[in-house]
Amino acid sequence: RWEDVTLQQYQKLFNMSFENIDENNIIPYLSVLLNINEKLIKEIEENDLTNILTERLSWLNTELLVIENPIIKFKGLEEYTYENNFNLITIGEMVSFEMLIEQYKSSYLDSMGYVLGVLLRKINNGIRENFDANNIERYKEQFKNLPITDCIYLINAFFKWRNKIYKIYEDLFG
């Protein structure tokens, strides 16, 4: 079940080398992606397998719901919130994120934890914590065990917003 796949496991899965994959060695990848026994995958017809893949991975394209005052209680963690209007992200938060990407030469997959570290804020006694760049590595480490289905929407929504900002201000960043 995708709900059982953590952010860290998701990153490892998609960091696997997909080079030289052919019909003979794709079965283990499909088994992991679909959580279906390898023997059973070999018996499924190609069209049916495509339909299963499309259905099982459709959650990846789901949009982030805009919720007033979103509160998230991840399994085993305290309550967190995020700013669902990315235009309200502070310059400091954005600079911290961009510096982390540059410093570690982070790819989309590698920077997922940083996105969560910048966007998610712990709630203490009903009050949202301020962003603290000094704790970003701790946040990244803490969030690596979040179920991917709980955080992929926020990560993807942030990157869509970031790409839009870069496109608008292309000359400034170029």
Side-chain angles (χ1 to χ4, degrees):
R1 294 176 346 149
W2 278 105
E3 296 83 22
D4 299 325
V5 176
T6 66
L7 173 63
Q8 184 177 35
Q9 291 168 324
Y10 179 85
Q11 289 171 314
K12 283 181 182 175
L13 175 67
F14 283 93
N15 273 328
M16 294 167 67
S17 174
F18 288 100
E19 294 176 17
N20 303 319
I21 290 183
D22 60 29
E23 60 189 53
N24 297 320
N25 62 9
I26 197 167
I27 302 299
Y29 292 97
L30 293 175
S31 178
V32 171
L33 279 171
L34 299 174
N35 195 25
I36 296 175
N37 181 298
E38 287 185 29
K39 275 186 180 178
L40 185 58
I41 288 178
K42 290 177 184 176
E43 296 173 10
I44 299 174
E45 297 211 14
E46 188 175 334
N47 285 343
D48 293 334
L49 192 56
T50 301
N51 290 337
I52 292 169
L53 267 170
T54 302
E55 178 193 333
R56 290 275 178 94
L57 299 178
S58 64
W59 63 270
L60 287 170
N61 295 320
T62 304
E63 293 291 324
L64 177 70
L65 296 175
V66 176
I67 303 167
E68 187 96 18
N69 301 317
I71 294 178
I72 303 167
K73 186 166 176 90
F74 295 115
K75 298 174 194 170
L77 294 177
E78 302 88 350
E79 288 185 339
Y80 284 80
T81 188
Y82 59 90
E83 180 56 67
N84 58 28
N85 180 351
F86 296 134
N87 291 327
L88 297 178
I89 290 174
T90 67
I91 291 174
E93 291 166 338
M94 195 64 190
V95 167
S96 292
F97 178 74
E98 295 300 330
M99 285 176 56
L100 289 164
I101 288 179
E102 182 60 31
Q103 179 179 356
Y104 297 107
K105 304 295 183 216
S106 298
S107 67
Y108 164 76
L109 284 171
D110 295 333
S111 61
M112 291 174 144
Y114 292 127
V115 171
L116 295 176
V118 172
L119 295 180
L120 292 177
R121 297 289 182 286
K122 190 176 183 177
I123 301 173
N124 283 323
N125 299 323
I127 299 171
R128 175 185 162 148
E129 283 186 352
N130 291 325
F131 175 67
D132 183 355
N134 296 320
N135 289 323
I136 194 74
E137 291 297 331
R138 182 175 59 85
Y139 296 145
K140 181 183 176 200
E141 184 67 20
Q142 181 179 8
F143 295 142
K144 74 180 183 184
N145 293 317
L146 294 178
I148 191 65
T149 52
D150 287 350
C151 58
I152 192 72
Y153 313 111
L154 182 59
I155 293 166
N156 286 341
F158 173 78
F159 276 108
K160 283 181 184 176
W161 172 82
R162 180 177 175 259
N163 290 340
K164 189 186 308 182
I165 292 298
Y166 270 81
K167 192 168 188 87
I168 291 170
Y169 297 104
E170 197 169 20
D171 294 333
L172 183 63
F173 296 119

